[in-house]
PDB file of all heavy atoms in Angstrom:
ATOM      1  N   GLY A 456     109.317 -31.889   8.680  1.00  0.00           N
ATOM      2  CA  GLY A 456     108.061 -32.133   9.431  1.00  0.00           C
ATOM      3  C   GLY A 456     107.083 -30.994   9.254  1.00  0.00           C
ATOM      4  O   GLY A 456     105.862 -31.183   9.161  1.00  0.00           O
ATOM      5  N   LYS A 457     107.682 -29.784   9.203  1.00  0.00           N
ATOM      6  CA  LYS A 457     106.823 -28.612   9.020  1.00  0.00           C
ATOM      7  C   LYS A 457     106.176 -28.628   7.654  1.00  0.00           C
ATOM      8  O   LYS A 457     104.981 -28.349   7.498  1.00  0.00           O
ATOM      9  CB  LYS A 457     107.676 -27.359   9.169  1.00  0.00           C
ATOM     10  CG  LYS A 457     106.920 -26.112   9.507  1.00  0.00           C
ATOM     11  CD  LYS A 457     106.340 -26.179  10.887  1.00  0.00           C
ATOM     12  CE  LYS A 457     105.738 -24.840  11.297  1.00  0.00           C
ATOM     13  NZ  LYS A 457     105.071 -24.928  12.601  1.00  0.00           N
ATOM     14  N   LEU A 458     106.938 -29.028   6.626  1.00  0.00           N
ATOM     15  CA  LEU A 458     106.382 -29.114   5.280  1.00  0.00           C
ATOM     16  C   LEU A 458     105.302 -30.170   5.189  1.00  0.00           C
ATOM     17  O   LEU A 458     104.273 -30.000   4.537  1.00  0.00           O
ATOM     18  CB  LEU A 458     107.504 -29.409   4.273  1.00  0.00           C
ATOM     19  CG  LEU A 458     108.453 -28.252   3.973  1.00  0.00           C
ATOM     20  CD1 LEU A 458     109.622 -28.737   3.093  1.00  0.00           C
ATOM     21  CD2 LEU A 458     107.704 -27.111   3.307  1.00  0.00           C
ATOM     22  N   ALA A 459     105.552 -31.309   5.854  1.00  0.00           N
ATOM     23  CA  ALA A 459     104.564 -32.405   5.830  1.00  0.00           C
ATOM     24  C   ALA A 459     103.265 -31.969   6.489  1.00  0.00           C
ATOM     25  O   ALA A 459     102.167 -32.269   6.027  1.00  0.00           O
ATOM     26  CB  ALA A 459     105.123 -33.646   6.528  1.00  0.00           C
ATOM     27  N   SER A 460     103.385 -31.191   7.582  1.00  0.00           N
ATOM     28  CA  SER A 460     102.166 -30.695   8.268  1.00  0.00           C
ATOM     29  C   SER A 460     101.408 -29.742   7.391  1.00  0.00           C
ATOM     30  O   SER A 460     100.148 -29.795   7.316  1.00  0.00           O
ATOM     31  CB  SER A 460     102.574 -30.014   9.570  1.00  0.00           C
ATOM     32  OG  SER A 460     101.464 -29.430  10.193  1.00  0.00           O
ATOM     33  N   ILE A 461     102.146 -28.862   6.677  1.00  0.00           N
ATOM     34  CA  ILE A 461     101.462 -27.907   5.787  1.00  0.00           C
ATOM     35  C   ILE A 461     100.752 -28.655   4.669  1.00  0.00           C
ATOM     36  O   ILE A 461      99.615 -28.337   4.288  1.00  0.00           O
ATOM     37  CB  ILE A 461     102.472 -26.895   5.237  1.00  0.00           C
ATOM     38  CG1 ILE A 461     102.979 -25.991   6.384  1.00  0.00           C
ATOM     39  CG2 ILE A 461     101.858 -26.051   4.121  1.00  0.00           C
ATOM     40  CD1 ILE A 461     104.129 -25.086   5.954  1.00  0.00           C
ATOM     41  N   LYS A 462     101.431 -29.682   4.133  1.00  0.00           N
ATOM     42  CA  LYS A 462     100.827 -30.453   3.045  1.00  0.00           C
ATOM     43  C   LYS A 462      99.547 -31.136   3.504  1.00  0.00           C
ATOM     44  O   LYS A 462      98.529 -31.145   2.783  1.00  0.00           O
ATOM     45  CB  LYS A 462     101.846 -31.467   2.524  1.00  0.00           C
ATOM     46  CG  LYS A 462     101.314 -32.228   1.318  1.00  0.00           C
ATOM     47  CD  LYS A 462     102.365 -33.198   0.790  1.00  0.00           C
ATOM     48  CE  LYS A 462     102.498 -34.360   1.790  1.00  0.00           C
ATOM     49  NZ  LYS A 462     103.385 -35.409   1.255  1.00  0.00           N
ATOM     50  N   GLU A 463      99.564 -31.701   4.696  1.00  0.00           N
ATOM     51  CA  GLU A 463      98.361 -32.373   5.209  1.00  0.00           C
ATOM     52  C   GLU A 463      97.208 -31.388   5.403  1.00  0.00           C
ATOM     53  O   GLU A 463      96.062 -31.684   5.108  1.00  0.00           O
ATOM     54  CB  GLU A 463      98.702 -33.060   6.526  1.00  0.00           C
ATOM     55  CG  GLU A 463      99.607 -34.276   6.389  1.00  0.00           C
ATOM     56  CD  GLU A 463      98.986 -35.374   5.552  1.00  0.00           C
ATOM     57  OE1 GLU A 463      97.727 -35.538   5.633  1.00  0.00           O
ATOM     58  OE2 GLU A 463      99.714 -36.040   4.818  1.00  0.00           O
ATOM     59  N   LYS A 464      97.541 -30.212   5.911  1.00  0.00           N
ATOM     60  CA  LYS A 464      96.480 -29.214   6.105  1.00  0.00           C
ATOM     61  C   LYS A 464      95.897 -28.777   4.772  1.00  0.00           C
ATOM     62  O   LYS A 464      94.675 -28.562   4.642  1.00  0.00           O
ATOM     63  CB  LYS A 464      97.033 -28.001   6.838  1.00  0.00           C
ATOM     64  CG  LYS A 464      97.361 -28.290   8.309  1.00  0.00           C
ATOM     65  CD  LYS A 464      97.932 -27.063   8.988  1.00  0.00           C
ATOM     66  CE  LYS A 464      98.218 -27.351  10.458  1.00  0.00           C
ATOM     67  NZ  LYS A 464      98.780 -26.174  11.138  1.00  0.00           N
ATOM     68  N   ILE A 465      96.774 -28.640   3.774  1.00  0.00           N
ATOM     69  CA  ILE A 465      96.276 -28.258   2.452  1.00  0.00           C
ATOM     70  C   ILE A 465      95.398 -29.348   1.873  1.00  0.00           C
ATOM     71  O   ILE A 465      94.342 -29.081   1.263  1.00  0.00           O
ATOM     72  CB  ILE A 465      97.459 -27.924   1.519  1.00  0.00           C
ATOM     73  CG1 ILE A 465      98.127 -26.626   1.990  1.00  0.00           C
ATOM     74  CG2 ILE A 465      96.986 -27.768   0.067  1.00  0.00           C
ATOM     75  CD1 ILE A 465      99.400 -26.299   1.240  1.00  0.00           C
ATOM     76  N   ILE A 466      95.809 -30.603   2.090  1.00  0.00           N
ATOM     77  CA  ILE A 466      94.985 -31.729   1.591  1.00  0.00           C
ATOM     78  C   ILE A 466      93.633 -31.755   2.303  1.00  0.00           C
ATOM     79  O   ILE A 466      92.591 -31.971   1.674  1.00  0.00           O
ATOM     80  CB  ILE A 466      95.753 -33.049   1.774  1.00  0.00           C
ATOM     81  CG1 ILE A 466      96.982 -33.075   0.856  1.00  0.00           C
ATOM     82  CG2 ILE A 466      94.833 -34.237   1.500  1.00  0.00           C
ATOM     83  CD1 ILE A 466      97.906 -34.275   1.092  1.00  0.00           C
ATOM     84  N   ASP A 467      93.640 -31.539   3.662  1.00  0.00           N
ATOM     85  CA  ASP A 467      92.357 -31.499   4.403  1.00  0.00           C
ATOM     86  C   ASP A 467      91.474 -30.351   3.906  1.00  0.00           C
ATOM     87  O   ASP A 467      90.250 -30.504   3.754  1.00  0.00           O
ATOM     88  CB  ASP A 467      92.617 -31.340   5.896  1.00  0.00           C
ATOM     89  CG  ASP A 467      93.249 -32.586   6.501  1.00  0.00           C
ATOM     90  OD1 ASP A 467      93.127 -33.666   5.866  1.00  0.00           O
ATOM     91  OD2 ASP A 467      93.827 -32.482   7.595  1.00  0.00           O
ATOM     92  N   LEU A 468      92.100 -29.183   3.666  1.00  0.00           N
ATOM     93  CA  LEU A 468      91.332 -28.039   3.177  1.00  0.00           C
ATOM     94  C   LEU A 468      90.762 -28.331   1.807  1.00  0.00           C
ATOM     95  O   LEU A 468      89.606 -27.982   1.516  1.00  0.00           O
ATOM     96  CB  LEU A 468      92.242 -26.801   3.113  1.00  0.00           C
ATOM     97  CG  LEU A 468      91.583 -25.521   2.588  1.00  0.00           C
ATOM     98  CD1 LEU A 468      90.378 -25.120   3.449  1.00  0.00           C
ATOM     99  CD2 LEU A 468      92.616 -24.398   2.566  1.00  0.00           C
ATOM    100  N   SER A 469      91.519 -29.001   0.987  1.00  0.00           N
ATOM    101  CA  SER A 469      91.029 -29.364  -0.331  1.00  0.00           C
ATOM    102  C   SER A 469      89.839 -30.310  -0.220  1.00  0.00           C
ATOM    103  O   SER A 469      88.838 -30.182  -0.940  1.00  0.00           O
ATOM    104  CB  SER A 469      92.157 -29.997  -1.158  1.00  0.00           C
ATOM    105  OG  SER A 469      91.674 -30.436  -2.407  1.00  0.00           O
TER     106      SER A 469
END
Side-chain angles (χ1 to χ4, degrees):
K457 201 68 172 175
L458 287 173
S460 175
I461 292 172
K462 184 178 72 173
E463 289 299 325
K464 289 179 178 180
I465 291 173
I466 293 173
D467 291 340
L468 179 59
S469 176

